[in-house]
Amino acid sequence: MAEEWNQDTGEVVYRSRDPIKNLKIRVKLQRVSPVSALVQRVQEEEEGGRGDIALRTLGSNPGTKGGYRPGDDEEEVVISWQEKLFSTFEYELYQNEAACCTPLDRQYHQDILSLERRGRKNIRVFTYTDYDRYTNLEEHCQSVTTSEQETPTFLAERMANVRRRRQDKRPLDGVGIRNRLITWKPSEEFIKNSHIINTPVQTMYIMADLGPVGKLGLKENEHVLCTIRVDSNGVITLKPDVTGTKGPYRLEVESHKRELWRYTLHHVSESVQPEAQEREQILYKDLYSRHKEYLNNLVGSDFEMPPSGALRVFINGEIVSAHEYEYDNLYVHFFMELPKHWSCPAFQELSGVTQSCRSKTHKRENVAYFCHPFSFEMFLSEEVESEGMHNITAKTWRPVEQGTVSELRRFFIGGSPELEDLTYIRIPGTFQGERLSRFGFRTETTGRVSFRFHAMHQSRSFLDRSSLRKRMQSVLDRLGGSSQQSSILNVLDAFQRARRRMQQARESLPKDILSATKTLQLEQSTA
C-alpha cells in the first residue's frame, strides 16, 4: 500500500491567550527502509494467518546483519516549550566540566549529571532552545518565487539577519554588551543594519540526528523537524504545522546509503479543566464589570437637564459649499441671529470665519467646498416640537469699494472691504415696511452658501409626557386590552360631544331666561 505523505511544509500562525509554557508537542520519528517495510508486511501477514518463518526470524533477530532495531529506527518524545533535550554531541561535550566556560554551559553540565542518574528519554530527537547559539541557515536562503535566477531583496536580507545579530549579542560570563543609546553620526552601513523593527521573539527548534547507528553526534546529520516561534503578543508560528489527521512528513537523507525517514507532530497540551475554565470566566466577568464601573465613574450617569418649562436645542451645522464664486481664495464670515423668544448662554459664539478655499468648475459654475462645522445651543421658554435635519441656502454678498485699484488688489493679492459693525446686515426691529433701503451702500452678489442643520431637543416636558403616556398605557392594559380601551375612548368622546352641545345650547338662550334660571337655582339652594 502506497504511503500518503504530507507535502504542506509551510508556516502556520496561531494566536493564544494561554501561557506558552503549557505547550506540548509529541514527535514520532521512524525510519522507512526495506527491512522495516518487510517487517511490517510480515506482521500484517501474521495477523491474517499467513506467516513465513524465515522472514519472521529475520525481522525479530536484532543481531542479524541489517536486522530491525526499534530503538534505532523509531523514537517518540513529548517535548514542552523551551525544554532542552541534549543531542549526542552536546551530551558528550557538557559531560566534561573543563569544556564549560559560560554560566549556561555549567548549567547544562549539571543537567547532564542529573540525566545520568535518572536516564535519558531521547537519542535521536533533541532541541535547540532560545538560549542556544543556533541559527537555521535554511531560513536565510528562502526564496519568494520558484525562479532559479531570483535574487533576495534588501529587505529580505536584513530581516533574515535579525535573529543572527540577536544571537551574537548574547551576554558572555554574565556581562552584557554595553551599547550607546544614541549614535550622533551614524554611517550608512549602521543605518542599514539597525533601522529594522525587531519584535521580541522566542524561538525553539525540534531537531533530529539521522546519522547511522554508532555515528551519532555529527553536525552534518542534524535536520530540523519543526521550528516554533512565539512573540510577545501571543502569536505562535509553527513550521511545519502539526500533522493531526494528515499524513506524516518525509525526510530523505543523502548518505552512502539513501535512507527515508518519516515523522509526525501532534499537539498534546493539556486541555483546561471545566473547573479552571469556569474560574477563568468568573475572573473575566469580574474584570469587565470593574472596567465598566471605572468608565461609568469617568463619564457619569447623570445628564444636565434644562430648566423647568424650557426647551434646549443643540444645533450642529456645516457650511457645505458656495456657488458662483469668481475668485479662488475664498472664505465665509457667518453671523447667526436668534429668533424671538430664544436665548443662548453668554459664552456661546454665534459668529465665525471659515478657512480659505479655492473654487473649481463643476457643471458650468464655480463651486467652493468648505465643509466647515459649527455648533451652538439655544433655549426656548415655550415648548416647541420641531426636530430633524434642515438644509438652507443663503444668498451672499460683499461690500464693493469704488475704483479700479481695489478690484485689481482683490484679483492679485485677495481681500476686500469688510463690515465694521456686523449688526448692519440685520433688519432693525423698528422697521415695518416691505423693503429696507440701504441707499449709498455698494454691494456685489457673490453666490449662494448651503447650510445643513441637525437639531436635537431636550426638555423635561418630553420626559414627563412619555412617563404619563406609559402610565396611561399600563392602566389601559390593566383594564383589559384593546377592546376595553376602545370602549373607554368612545365613552370619553361621547361625553365631550355632549358637553360641547350643552355649552352651545346655553350660549343660544336669551339673557332674560338665563337670569331667571340662575335666580331659580339660587332660591332653591337657599331654601
Side-chain angles (χ1 to χ4, degrees):
M1 184 177 181
E3 183 78 29
E4 296 182 1
W5 301 101
N6 189 358
Q7 303 295 335
D8 188 8
T9 58
E11 290 185 351
V12 292
V13 179
Y14 299 96
R15 182 182 293 273
S16 175
R17 296 184 300 178
D18 296 332
I20 190 60
K21 64 181 181 180
N22 298 332
L23 177 64
K24 291 184 179 180
I25 294 180
R26 184 174 66 237
V27 182
K28 184 177 181 180
L29 179 67
Q30 186 178 9
R31 188 202 307 266
V32 180
S33 61
V35 176
S36 60
L38 183 60
V39 172
Q40 183 178 2
R41 181 180 178 183
V42 169
Q43 292 177 353
E44 293 176 356
E45 293 180 354
E46 183 179 7
E47 294 176 358
R50 303 186 306 273
D52 190 292
I53 299 177
L55 293 179
R56 288 199 301 269
T57 304
L58 178 63
S60 61
N61 187 2
T64 307
K65 184 178 180 180
Y68 172 68
R69 294 184 179 181
D72 296 335
D73 294 346
E74 184 176 350
E75 186 172 339
E76 183 174 349
V77 183
V78 176
I79 303 175
S80 303
W81 170 248
Q82 295 296 345
E83 181 183 0
K84 179 60 180 176
L85 298 181
F86 296 97
S87 64
T88 304
F89 173 78
E90 292 176 327
Y91 195 86
E92 296 174 355
L93 174 65
Y94 295 124
Q95 276 184 340
N96 186 9
E97 188 175 2
C100 301
C101 301
T102 65
L104 182 62
D105 295 344
R106 289 189 284 270
Q107 178 63 38
Y108 284 168
H109 175 70
Q110 298 296 328
D111 295 340
I112 288 178
L113 293 180
S114 61
L115 285 177
E116 290 181 350
R117 290 191 297 266
R118 67 173 184 267
R120 294 177 61 185
K121 70 174 184 179
N122 67 303
I123 299 296
R124 292 185 179 272
V125 179
F126 61 98
T127 61
Y128 283 128
T129 64
D130 194 65
Y131 300 99
D132 296 324
R133 292 186 180 181
Y134 173 78
T135 302
N136 186 13
L137 298 179
E138 295 179 358
E139 297 177 351
H140 306 291
C141 303
Q142 292 179 353
S143 58
V144 180
T145 65
T146 57
S147 176
E148 297 180 356
Q149 289 78 21
E150 178 189 351
T151 57
T153 62
F154 169 77
L155 180 61
E157 292 179 350
R158 297 278 76 80
M159 294 304 296
N161 196 31
V162 168
R163 176 165 173 79
R164 183 180 299 175
R165 289 191 292 105
R166 190 165 65 88
Q167 292 283 351
D168 295 339
K169 291 183 180 180
R170 292 196 176 278
L172 300 176
D173 294 332
V175 180
I177 300 177
R178 297 183 180 180
N179 294 330
R180 290 178 296 177
L181 297 179
I182 300 175
T183 303
W184 298 106
K185 296 181 180 180
S187 60
E188 295 183 359
E189 187 67 22
F190 177 81
I191 295 175
K192 291 180 180 179
N193 295 331
S194 300
H195 193 68
I196 300 174
I197 299 176
N198 186 11
T199 305
V201 177
Q202 288 186 334
T203 308
M204 179 181 180
Y205 294 94
I206 300 178
M207 310 291 295
D209 190 348
L210 304 183
V213 180
K215 294 183 180 180
L216 300 180
L218 299 178
K219 289 291 184 179
E220 58 268 17
N221 295 328
E222 294 182 0
H223 296 271
V224 179
L225 300 183
C226 181
T227 304
I228 308 175
R229 294 188 183 89
V230 178
D231 63 7
S232 57
N233 299 323
V235 177
I236 304 174
T237 305
L238 299 179
K239 182 183 179 180
D241 191 12
V242 293
T243 53
T245 58
K246 296 178 290 186
Y249 298 106
R250 61 179 293 171
L251 276 176
E252 192 170 344
V253 180
E254 295 290 343
S255 60
H256 67 283
K257 183 175 62 175
R258 193 170 184 176
E259 294 182 347
L260 183 65
W261 295 78
R262 66 178 180 181
Y263 68 97
T264 57
L265 305 171
H266 294 279
H267 177 238
V268 293
S269 302
E270 296 181 2
S271 59
V272 181
Q273 299 297 327
E275 296 81 6
Q277 188 174 6
E278 185 177 358
R279 289 195 301 269
E280 184 179 2
Q281 294 296 331
I282 293 175
L283 290 177
Y284 275 118
K285 289 182 180 179
D286 183 63
L287 177 62
Y288 294 151
S289 62
R290 290 178 181 272
H291 185 66
K292 184 178 180 181
E293 292 178 0
Y294 172 73
L295 295 179
N296 290 336
N297 294 332
L298 293 179
V299 177
S301 57
D302 297 332
F303 292 93
E304 180 185 357
M305 296 299 294
S308 179
L311 172 67
R312 172 186 288 171
V313 178
F314 293 92
I315 303 295
N316 292 325
E318 179 184 3
I319 301 178
V320 183
S321 60
H323 299 261
E324 297 181 1
Y325 268 100
E326 185 178 356
Y327 304 105
D328 288 340
N329 296 326
L330 311 172
Y331 64 93
V332 176
H333 192 174
F334 57 93
F335 175 79
M336 288 168 286
E337 180 182 2
L338 297 180
K340 190 177 181 180
H341 304 299
W342 288 88
S343 62
C344 66
F347 61 87
Q348 186 73 58
E349 296 183 359
L350 298 179
S351 62
V353 181
T354 65
Q355 77 280 3
S356 298
C357 183
R358 177 171 296 180
S359 62
K360 64 179 182 179
T361 305
H362 178 68
K363 294 182 180 180
R364 295 185 179 181
E365 62 180 2
N366 296 326
V367 183
Y369 296 99
F370 293 97
C371 298
H372 180 81
F374 60 91
S375 62
F376 61 95
E377 57 178 317
M378 302 183 299
F379 291 90
L380 178 64
S381 57
E382 299 177 359
E383 184 178 348
V384 179
E385 294 186 1
S386 61
E387 59 182 359
M389 183 184 68
H390 305 275
N391 292 322
I392 298 177
T393 302
K395 298 180 179 180
T396 59
W397 51 268
R398 65 177 178 87
V400 177
E401 187 178 359
Q402 295 182 357
T404 311
V405 178
S406 61
E407 294 298 323
L408 291 175
R409 183 186 303 111
R410 172 178 170 80
F411 180 80
F412 287 105
I413 64 175
S416 63
E418 298 182 3
L419 295 178
E420 183 69 24
D421 185 8
L422 294 177
T423 59
Y424 186 76
I425 63 177
R426 300 175 55 185
I427 299 177
T430 57
F431 177 74
Q432 296 180 356
E434 296 180 356
R435 294 173 181 248
L436 179 62
S437 175
R438 300 187 187 273
F439 181 75
F441 182 59
R442 295 172 58 87
T443 61
E444 181 179 351
T445 302
T446 55
R448 305 185 305 275
V449 178
S450 301
F451 297 87
R452 182 180 296 120
F453 295 92
H454 299 271
M456 295 179 290
H457 295 174
Q458 182 187 18
S459 177
R460 288 185 178 179
S461 60
F462 297 157
L463 182 62
D464 298 338
R465 185 180 304 172
S466 62
S467 60
L468 179 61
R469 190 182 300 111
K470 291 180 180 179
R471 288 198 300 269
M472 180 61 68
Q473 185 66 31
S474 62
V475 171
L476 295 177
D477 293 339
R478 293 175 186 174
L479 292 178
S482 60
S483 59
Q484 295 185 3
Q485 178 180 354
S486 59
S487 61
I488 292 175
L489 294 177
N490 294 332
V491 172
L492 293 177
D493 292 339
F495 175 76
Q496 294 292 340
R497 290 196 299 271
R499 185 177 180 180
R500 287 196 296 269
R501 287 197 298 269
M502 184 179 64
Q503 292 178 353
Q504 293 175 0
R506 285 186 177 182
E507 293 177 357
S508 62
L509 291 176
K511 295 184 178 179
D512 53 353
I513 297 178
L514 289 176
S515 60
T517 304
K518 291 182 179 179
T519 304
L520 180 60
Q521 292 177 353
L522 179 61
E523 291 178 354
Q524 292 178 354
S525 60
T526 54

